[in-house]
Amino acid sequence: MTKRPPSAPRPPLPIVIVGHVDHGKSTVIGRLLFETNSLPEGKAESVRATSEKRGMPFEWAFVLDALQAERDQGITIDTTQIRFQTKARRYILIDAPGHVEFLKNMITGAAQAKAALLVMDAEEGARDQTRQHAFLLHLMGLETIAVIINKMDRVGYQERRFQELRDSIGRTLHEMNLKVSGVIPVSAREGENIAAPSAHMAWHRGETLTALLDSLPDAPSQSEKPLRFPIQDIYKFDERRIIAGRIESGRLKEGDRLLFSPSNKSAVVSSLESWPPREGRGFSAEAGEAVGVMLDRQLFLERGELASHQSDPPFLSDIFRARIFWLGRHPLTPSVSLVMKRATSEFSVVLQSVERVIDAASLEEVSGERVSRNQVADIILRAPSLQALDSFGENGLMGRFVLLDGRDIAGGGVVSLDGYADQRPILEARMRDVSRVSHKVSPRERELRARHRGGVLWLTGLSGSGKSTLAFALEKTLFDLGYGVYVLDGDNIRHGLSEDLGFSVEDRSENIRRVAEAASLFADAGFVALVSFISPMRSDRARARGIIPNFHEVHVSADLETCEARDPKGLYKRARGGEIEDFTGVSADYEVPEGAELVLDTGVEGVEDSLRRLVEYVEGRFRLVPEGVSDYEI
């Protein structure tokens, strides 16, 4: 990482400050501004005069009151950015609302911050909202968190009370995998331990609040991360087309080759434009700068496309995991459609499934597949087309998103791509300049010769569900009935066509793609191809359906207990023993088909019954003419 020259000032540190509505957060801010000489001249006196006029005691919280509604209700209802500085550093303090009704505004505030201050009342201790705020900070990826135990004057500046609260909140934050940078006892009203050590708390050997802030690490530079340049708009001047946007991470210069996602188009930067214009040519720009880009060739691009360097592109997928904080008016349930906003992109998503629900107040896991207001959940979302994504762990800024229900903000969250393969290689394979050749024999001629249609039965299910048993039995029966039929089995494919592939998520996805392409060729030749593959991901099976014209999904549905009891190859036993990683059904998910053409519950019905239903299905959909008719004219 590039180091800042010794003479260069430290960049401003954005800090979000959160806390329960009555725990004195605004008082902490007001006093902090006063103690660092950051208030506008005469502001304190003005507040004092206003308080006296209203017959109210002087409150440092009134320093922040910019809205009459806040004075009347006594709560902060929006996020406010406040700039102040100490001798060591400049700060941008983001005042986020504490009232439960305004949590959605807090998400906006936390998304901009690089560190956080959590304010807690020394008398009341941690409340449900305190835990909610802490979990939200974790959800938004803030790792640097300091805790302020306020109103120590109310408990007589007791060391024992401070230690109790310090240990309690420390355990809570540890459960959330949050790192505590420090816990400071203060009395904001009295100015104790804000900028100078408190005589009432001589037992505290730690830092003051301002000293703690100055010791926080600088935010990691977004410029050192891979380039992410979301297109905000495209402007046309004369013959020029200028792509405008803000660089969210990385660096950009003339001559760079850019890859645009999800369209997968590329071009070279012929020039950079800035406002106001910079003198000379050949300048570069980095994270945080708004620039215009001209390309060496015309591309049809739209708002929301994401530019990157070809060496570090974003992930392409139509399915991904996410952790969200739900704020919607109605519970979130599977199949609900929402709009996801991230940077300049906006696209629809559907909740495919809920993996885990956590009550943000108690931090306990909740059963069921519905996410209620103010709950946190691990979910799987699906988009109707490929989207450019970054996992939150790789790029915190680009890995965050907001969910909209209609026009309302219904939640916020972070992206996880664990367990899913990047679909860019598949997209690129389809885009290569390769032309198909035409056969001299038409599909109709093949059908008439074979007396049945070509197509694919895709048998999916857990290991041990009976897929291969049924596939080979069906192959023999159909062969005896005169069908051209062949089984493509997972184990056999691994010994040939896919012998170069391992068992990573990417390799498994590529394995399914190869099988789908091979099965499509069998179908095109007039055969009934029987594909027997676990194929656990709906997205992989959906791609197979897109490759194969006459595709029929058969869910061989046996529950995990039944499959594990059979365990014909001893795989479950090995997986339980830790010998096999990411084994479907044990340590990896199986996504049950939605809308399969045929479902066979082999845990209930025997092989003969399932085979009979399969034969009836094939005869009804693949046979061209009724039995007994044998006169075909070609």
Side-chain angles (χ1 to χ4, degrees):
M1 181 179 294
T2 304
K3 294 184 178 180
R4 185 178 64 254
S7 59
R10 296 175 72 180
L13 181 66
I15 302 176
V16 64
I17 181 167
V18 300
H20 188 276
V21 65
D22 295 321
H23 284 197
K25 173 173 59 69
S26 294
T27 303
V28 169
I29 298 173
R31 192 74 197 213
L32 181 62
L33 295 178
F34 176 76
E35 296 292 344
T36 58
N37 298 314
S38 301
L39 286 176
E41 185 175 351
K43 181 65 175 178
E45 290 74 12
S46 173
V47 170
R48 194 179 302 277
T50 301
S51 299
E52 291 175 356
K53 184 178 180 180
R54 292 181 172 221
M56 302 173 63
F58 176 78
E59 290 285 351
W60 286 105
F62 293 158
V63 171
L64 303 179
D65 288 340
L67 300 174
Q68 182 65 38
E70 292 184 21
R71 292 192 182 95
D72 294 341
Q73 298 179 30
I75 55 177
T76 304
I77 63 174
D78 201 354
T79 57
T80 304
Q81 291 195 3
I82 305 155
R83 295 180 182 271
F84 75 98
Q85 65 182 55
T86 64
K87 293 180 180 179
R89 178 200 254 161
R90 294 169 295 152
Y91 296 91
I92 300 173
L93 193 62
I94 303 165
D95 179 21
H99 195 269
V100 66
E101 291 302 316
F102 307 117
L103 276 173
K104 64 178 64 178
N105 299 86
M106 182 191 159
I107 288 179
T108 304
Q112 304 169 57
K114 303 301 181 184
L117 293 176
L118 178 63
V119 179
M120 190 167 70
D121 188 310
E123 274 191 307
E124 293 192 1
R127 298 285 298 274
D128 286 351
Q129 201 177 98
T130 307
R131 297 185 182 91
Q132 284 181 336
H133 288 166
F135 206 100
L136 251 182
L137 296 174
H138 167 60
L139 173 65
M140 303 308 291
L142 286 166
E143 297 181 353
T144 304
I145 296 178
V147 180
I148 299 173
I149 308 296
N150 189 29
K151 303 185 182 182
M152 286 297 297
D153 53 305
R154 299 273 187 93
V155 297
Y157 300 106
Q158 294 177 25
E159 180 181 8
R160 188 172 74 173
R161 178 57 175 164
F162 169 72
Q163 290 174 342
E164 290 173 355
L165 295 175
R166 179 194 61 191
D167 295 344
S168 173
I169 193 65
R171 286 192 296 270
T172 298
L173 297 178
H174 179 73
E175 290 173 3
M176 301 179 195
N177 295 318
L178 291 169
K179 300 173 185 177
V180 181
S181 299
V183 183
I184 306 289
V186 307
S187 170
R189 178 192 291 270
E190 305 301 328
E192 299 290 338
N193 216 25
I194 300 294
S198 168
H200 295 290
M201 293 181 283
W203 43 263
H204 178 64
R205 302 287 185 242
E207 300 170 302
T208 63
L209 177 56
T210 55
L212 173 65
L213 293 176
D214 288 343
S215 69
L216 295 178
D218 292 333
S221 173
Q222 285 291 115
S223 298
E224 305 303 325
K225 296 181 179 180
L227 173 66
R228 296 293 183 264
F229 177 58
I231 295 179
Q232 179 176 324
D233 210 341
I234 298 175
Y235 301 100
K236 298 178 182 179
F237 298 98
D238 302 324
E239 299 299 321
R240 297 178 298 163
R241 288 170 56 87
I242 299 178
I243 300 168
R246 181 179 184 271
I247 301 174
E248 298 296 339
S249 64
R251 294 185 173 88
L252 179 61
K253 66 180 185 303
E254 294 179 8
D256 284 354
R257 176 168 286 280
L258 298 183
L259 178 66
F260 295 91
S261 300
S263 66
N264 217 45
K265 300 172 183 177
S266 68
V268 173
V269 177
S270 59
S271 70
L272 289 182
E273 308 289 337
S274 66
W275 298 272
R278 300 187 190 182
E279 294 183 4
R281 295 183 59 82
F283 73 88
S284 63
E286 60 182 39
E289 294 187 69
V291 296
V293 173
M294 291 186 63
L295 303 175
D296 67 338
R297 63 192 187 97
Q298 298 286 355
L299 295 179
F300 177 73
L301 299 169
E302 297 181 289
R303 174 184 168 87
E305 287 264 359
L306 184 61
S308 69
H309 291 134
Q310 289 189 311
S311 57
D312 289 297
F315 203 90
L316 280 187
S317 182
D318 56 1
I319 184 170
F320 57 95
R321 285 185 166 85
R323 171 166 286 184
I324 65 164
F325 193 96
W326 184 246
L327 300 167
R329 299 176 182 177
H330 307 289
L332 178 64
T333 55
S335 300
V336 167
S337 296
L338 301 163
V339 172
M340 177 171 162
K341 294 188 70 172
R342 186 191 58 107
T344 60
S345 66
E346 184 173 321
F347 53 90
S348 63
V349 291
V350 173
L351 176 63
Q352 178 167 298
S353 61
V354 177
E355 296 187 305
R356 187 171 66 134
V357 180
I358 301 167
D359 186 281
S362 65
L363 304 183
E364 294 180 353
E365 191 164 334
V366 181
S367 60
E369 282 203 346
R370 59 189 278 137
V371 188
S372 299
R373 187 180 179 89
N374 296 333
Q375 286 185 329
V376 173
D378 292 327
I379 62 174
I380 296 177
L381 293 171
R382 181 183 292 279
S385 59
L386 294 180
Q387 301 296 330
L389 301 165
D390 282 298
S391 68
F392 180 77
E394 294 295 325
N395 192 321
L397 195 60
M398 296 301 295
R400 298 171 178 169
F401 63 83
V402 170
L403 292 174
L404 301 180
D405 185 3
R407 295 185 177 181
D408 295 330
I409 295 177
V414 295
V415 173
S416 170
L417 298 170
D418 292 344
Y420 292 104
D422 187 357
Q423 297 178 33
R424 190 181 298 276
I426 298 172
L427 177 65
E428 290 175 343
R430 293 180 182 176
M431 295 176 68
R432 288 178 190 138
D433 189 17
V434 178
S435 301
R436 292 185 179 273
V437 296
S438 299
H439 292 271
K440 298 297 184 183
V441 180
S442 70
R444 179 60 177 169
E445 289 173 320
R446 296 182 194 278
E447 289 177 354
L448 292 174
R449 173 67 62 84
R451 302 187 182 183
H452 64 77
R453 297 182 178 88
V456 174
L457 263 68
W458 192 284
L459 281 68
T460 173
L462 294 171
S463 178
S465 61
K467 300 183 302 301
S468 294
T469 299
L470 288 173
F472 285 110
L474 180 61
E475 179 188 45
K476 181 64 169 68
T477 302
L478 293 180
F479 181 81
D480 291 342
L481 290 173
Y483 281 81
V485 58
Y486 192 80
V487 173
L488 297 173
D489 182 73
D491 287 346
N492 292 345
I493 294 295
R494 284 282 184 179
H495 280 92
L497 182 63
S498 296
E499 65 178 354
D500 61 319
L501 298 178
F503 291 89
S504 66
V505 174
E506 291 77 15
D507 281 358
R508 288 179 176 181
S509 183
E510 170 60 13
N511 187 37
I512 297 299
R513 186 195 69 81
R514 293 183 186 182
V515 172
E517 294 287 0
S520 181
L521 293 175
F522 272 90
D524 190 51
F527 278 72
V528 177
L530 309 177
V531 176
S532 173
F533 270 70
I534 295 174
S535 46
M537 296 299 176
R538 291 194 189 110
S539 56
D540 288 336
R541 299 193 298 266
R543 282 195 295 276
R545 186 183 290 273
I547 293 170
I548 302 166
N550 191 17
F551 180 93
H552 301 256
E553 187 174 34
V554 179
H555 181 203
V556 184
S557 171
D559 58 61
L560 179 60
E561 184 178 356
T562 299
C563 294
E564 194 162 358
R566 293 169 179 166
D567 204 7
K569 303 173 186 176
L571 299 178
Y572 284 98
K573 183 177 180 180
R574 292 175 59 196
R576 296 289 185 190
E579 296 181 42
I580 304 177
E581 295 182 359
D582 297 327
F583 187 77
T584 304
V586 176
S587 52
D589 294 335
Y590 176 80
E591 296 178 352
V592 175
E594 295 177 337
E597 281 77 8
L598 183 63
V599 178
L600 305 172
D601 189 347
T602 60
V604 176
E605 60 187 23
V607 173
E608 292 302 321
D609 289 334
S610 294
L611 179 60
R612 175 182 52 78
R613 292 179 60 199
L614 277 169
V615 173
E616 290 175 354
Y617 184 88
V618 172
E619 286 278 82
R621 289 161 179 79
F622 286 78
R623 181 73 74 178
L624 281 185
V625 295
E627 291 185 11
V629 179
S630 56
D631 227 355
Y632 291 87
E633 294 182 6
I634 299 179

